[in-house]
Structure formats: C-alpha cells, structure tokens
Amino acid sequence: MMADFVTPRHSAVMERLRRRIELFRQHHNTCETRYVGATQERLELERPNTINLHQRLMQNKAKRASKHRQPQPSIDQDAQRASGGGAESGGTAAEQSRNTTRAA
C-alpha cells in the first residue's frame, strides 16, 4: 500500500547530494584545466591566420584609398575640358553639368 515504501532519512539524501555535487565539481575542474590548455593552443594556431587577415584588410584598404585618389584628377580634367571646350568634349550637356558639379 502507500506506506510500503520507506522514505530515506534527511541525512542520507543530503549525503547523496554532497557526493553528486563533489563529482560535478571534480568534473568541472578537470574540464576547465583541459579547456584552458586547449585555449592557449588554439590561440597560437589562430594567430598567424589573424595576422594574415589583418594584412589583407590593410592592403585592400590601401588599394581602395589609392583608387579613390586616382580618379579625382581625371574628373577635374574632364570638368576643365567640359567647361572650357564646350562641344569639343563630346559629352551631353547633362554630363558636362555633372562633371562641373563634381569638380565643385
């Protein structure tokens, strides 16, 4: 019936819980030690990749910056031709006004 089972004593329950907690603590400590060691190794392996990616980023930035600097003189030259040459530039009036606006 209902009273057929025996409830464990409070101290026995607490002792089991203490053992479980201690096992979890030991497991956590061993895993944490492995994790810290693996983290250092992983960082050492990733460092060259990070450096390579950083160098590529800086090169791409330099390329983009040089591309933006180079067309500006040609736009200024086009604008000078458009304003000074009139129909000689071969462009439409809209292109000439755009070039002059860019130069300004």
Side-chain angles (χ1 to χ4, degrees):
M1 297 224 242
M2 288 233 186
D4 288 345
F5 66 91
V6 178
T7 57
R9 292 189 174 176
H10 179 72
S11 60
V13 172
M14 292 305 291
E15 187 57 36
R16 278 201 318 261
L17 285 174
R18 282 191 189 100
R19 276 188 270 139
R20 281 186 74 186
I21 291 171
E22 185 57 33
L23 286 173
F24 282 124
R25 185 176 291 125
Q26 289 173 0
H27 177 72
H28 174 75
N29 288 339
T30 57
C31 288
E32 187 179 24
T33 305
R34 283 195 324 247
Y35 177 78
V36 168
T39 301
Q40 294 302 317
E41 290 177 26
R42 185 175 44 84
L43 290 175
E44 289 299 319
L45 292 173
E46 289 176 354
R47 186 167 284 125
N49 290 337
T50 304
I51 292 170
N52 288 338
L53 286 173
H54 182 68
Q55 288 174 347
R56 284 175 45 195
L57 174 72
M58 298 310 285
Q59 289 171 353
N60 286 339
K61 278 186 178 181
K63 284 180 186 177
R64 271 190 251 127
S66 66
K67 281 183 182 178
H68 289 298
R69 280 187 229 134
Q70 289 174 353
Q72 287 178 351
S74 65
I75 291 173
D76 291 340
Q77 291 171 358
D78 290 342
Q80 289 173 356
R81 281 190 225 130
S83 62
E88 293 176 8
S89 67
T92 64
E95 288 176 358
Q96 291 175 1
S97 66
R98 264 189 255 124
N99 289 339
T100 341
T101 306
R102 283 188 205 153

